Structures are given as structure tokens and as C-alpha cells.
Amino acid sequence: MTTLLDGKQCALDIEAQLKTSIDALRQNGERIPKLVVILVGTNPASVSYVTNKAKACTRVGILSEIIQLPEISSEDAVIEEVKGLNADPNVDGILVQLPLPKHIRSKAVIESIDPDKDVDGLHSVNVTKLVMNERGFIPCTAKGVVTLLKAYNVPLAGSDAVVLGRSQLVGRPLAQLLLNENCTVTVCHSKTRDIPHYTAQADIVVAAIGKPKMVTLDYLSAKSVIVDVGINKVDDKLVGDVDFEAAWDKVTAISPVPKGVGPMTIVTLLQNTLDAYTWRKERHG
Ligand code: GUN
């Protein structure tokens, strides 16, 4: 029987634990963790993501603020905003929603975030920590995928894992994280000659390519555990990178789209924000 990797339910369970932790802080009269999201412009997908993040904060009791800046904002103006948040002792986490308008260099903005408040895990300090397998912030989708696999007791150490995609946001950090979990990791990408050759013998396949239903049955085997990171809009419907209907029943486990990795990304952002709060308190009291 195929197992459904239910990210929605897994995220709800983690939210309940986070809410208990935040409630305890409130009852002890402690400061409450706070996340600030900066949104530049009005890209509808970004507005929707940012709204969902703020709503999730509210559900568990984390304070949140959305700073919406006009599309025409200069790079310096965005960086000045970040610097103000870096200096604000009541702010634990800072997230700059991507993509930014073309005239702004994402790298310059991300590098201006205090690494101790970089709950997105995109600052070079945190990227290095992930590579060194040291404590730091891990990008939310990558960490959420591994949390989901662990919640279903999928063995990681010694398993063959194939990551499809090599983006800064998902594929690269995920490959590193799976390596830190002692998987044997293969990364496939647009220049890979024969992707099914790798995926068909893998224990775990994570698809993060951004091509609707690209992963079909010939990529898979009965032992496959599949995690679908894809969020593609086709005829106003959300579709993953995996042909779910074809794969279901033919594999060991698979995550759906929606209600798979999406909710895991958001709940991981909440976890990272609480970690930012806890770690800052450890350092500064
Ligand atoms: N846009 C889409 N996904 C993400 C994410 O994980 N972090 C940020 N900052 N922007 C995104």
C-alpha cells in the first residue's frame, strides 16, 4: 500500500507544538517572538505567500509584520529597511520575499540581513554553516522536506536520494541537508543526460524542477519515496512536478500537491523564527 506523505497534517502537528511553546512564553511574561516579512511590489503569488506566512504566525501566537514597499523602491531603500530591523531588539526573524524587482540585486539585500535573524537561511553565513554541518538557519522548503520524511520514519542514513533541481532556494540546500543526514545524494538538473537512470534506482526522489508532471512512471520504482516540491499553475489548478495519479499505487510513498511540501515550508519558517528567538536569547539574555 502506498503511504500519502501528508504535509498538511504533519504541519498541523508541529504548529500545535509551537503554539504550546509560545503560550508558555506568554504565561511566563516573556517577550513574544516576532517575524517581519518585507515585500517589494505587488506580485500576486508573492502577496499570497506572504499573507499565508503572516496567518500561520497568528495561529501559533508569533507576532508578525508585513512591510510592503513600492515596486520602484531602490536597492538602498530596501537595505535601509533591513538595517532598521537588524537593529530592532524586538525583531527575531527577517524574511525578504523573493523574487525582488529586476533593478534590485537579491544577493545585496540578502547579505544585508543579520545572519542571526536570517530565518530563510539564504545569507552566505548560513549557507556556509549548512555546508559545514553546523547549527544555523536552513532554507524552509529544504528543511521542511526532511522533517516530512522523518515524520514518516523514512530511513535516511545510507539511503540513495536523488534531488531533481539545483536552485539556491531548494535543490542545493536540500542536497546538502540530505548529505548531512548521511544519504548518498545525486543531484540531477537540466543538463543531466538520463535522469530516469538515476531516479529509477533511488530510495528517495525529491522533485524541485518547476515543470508540471515531468516525473512520470518511467522515472520511478516500487521502492520510491517521492517528495514533490513543485507548485505549478496549470489552467488555474496547482500541479506538482510529479504525475501524482500515475505514480500513486506504484510507489512506496508520495507527497501530494497541494497539501504536501507547501504547508511544511510555512511551518518550518515558524520553527526557524522560534529558533532565532531562542538562540538570540542564549547569546544576549
Ligand atoms: N519565494 C518563494 N519561496 C521563497 C522562500 O522560501 N523565501 C523567500 N524569501 N522568498 C520566496
Side-chain angles (χ1 to χ4, degrees):
M1 230 189 46
T2 306
T3 300
L4 183 74
L5 301 174
D6 186 344
K8 180 87 198 285
Q9 186 57 50
C10 184
L12 281 175
D13 294 345
I14 296 170
E15 275 193 14
Q17 293 164 19
L18 289 169
K19 185 169 186 313
T20 304
S21 303
I22 309 289
D23 284 349
L25 290 174
R26 189 170 282 111
Q27 269 151 25
N28 293 334
E30 307 253 17
R31 187 175 69 76
I32 301 299
K34 179 172 179 181
L35 171 70
V36 179
V37 179
I38 297 178
L39 173 64
V40 186
T42 54
N43 176 309
S46 290
V47 170
S48 155
Y49 288 142
V50 163
T51 309
N52 285 336
K53 287 168 185 175
K55 280 186 187 160
C57 283
T58 305
R59 285 198 297 274
V60 301
I62 290 178
L63 302 175
S64 71
E65 187 185 341
I66 300 172
I67 297 179
Q68 200 157 0
L69 300 176
E71 181 90 22
I72 52 154
S73 304
S74 67
E75 185 178 295
D76 281 348
V78 179
I79 290 175
E80 279 311 306
E81 199 67 51
V82 169
K83 284 184 178 166
L85 299 171
N86 286 344
D88 185 340
N90 290 317
V91 172
D92 301 286
I94 304 168
L95 184 149
V96 178
Q97 186 66 26
L98 301 174
L100 286 167
K102 285 201 170 59
H103 65 278
I104 300 177
R105 293 169 302 161
S106 305
K107 184 160 172 56
V109 173
I110 286 164
E111 292 298 312
S112 74
I113 299 172
D114 177 349
D116 294 336
K117 297 189 177 187
D118 169 39
V119 285
D120 237 355
L122 299 177
H123 192 287
S124 56
V125 165
N126 285 311
V127 174
T128 304
K129 283 184 174 166
L130 179 59
V131 172
M132 307 285 269
N133 203 4
E134 290 171 1
R135 187 177 88 169
F137 295 106
I138 299 168
C140 299
T141 300
K143 188 171 158 192
V145 166
V146 170
T147 304
L148 183 63
L149 290 169
K150 285 183 174 176
Y152 282 88
N153 297 315
V154 174
L156 297 178
S159 291
D160 291 326
V162 173
V163 176
L164 303 179
R166 53 175 163 175
S167 68
Q168 299 288 352
L169 212 53
V170 184
R172 282 168 203 257
L174 183 58
Q176 190 61 59
L177 189 55
L178 289 168
L179 182 60
N180 293 351
E181 294 290 341
N182 298 308
C183 290
T184 302
V185 182
T186 304
V187 181
C188 296
H189 46 78
S190 53
K191 297 285 191 289
T192 302
R193 270 188 301 223
D194 184 1
I195 295 179
H197 167 78
Y198 298 97
T199 54
Q201 57 75 40
D203 301 297
I204 298 165
V205 177
V206 186
I209 327 141
K211 289 209 171 131
K213 297 192 183 186
M214 191 191 102
V215 177
T216 47
L217 260 192
D218 49 325
Y219 284 67
L220 305 170
S221 77
K223 72 171 176 177
S224 308
V225 171
I226 308 161
V227 182
D228 191 347
V229 177
I231 304 181
N232 311 291
K233 241 194 184 149
V234 177
D235 301 331
D236 260 7
K237 246 189 83 186
L238 280 190
V239 190
D241 290 346
V242 181
D243 186 346
F244 182 91
E245 285 76 20
W248 180 253
D249 265 16
K250 308 278 192 310
V251 294
T252 295
I254 182 167
S255 73
V257 177
K259 298 186 181 179
V261 172
M264 294 305 296
T265 298
I266 292 186
V267 81
T268 305
L269 176 64
L270 305 181
Q271 277 183 321
N272 282 359
T273 303
L274 182 56
D275 283 347
Y277 171 93
T278 310
W279 296 344
R280 282 180 63 231
K281 219 153 129 180
E282 275 173 21
R283 272 189 300 268
H284 308 297

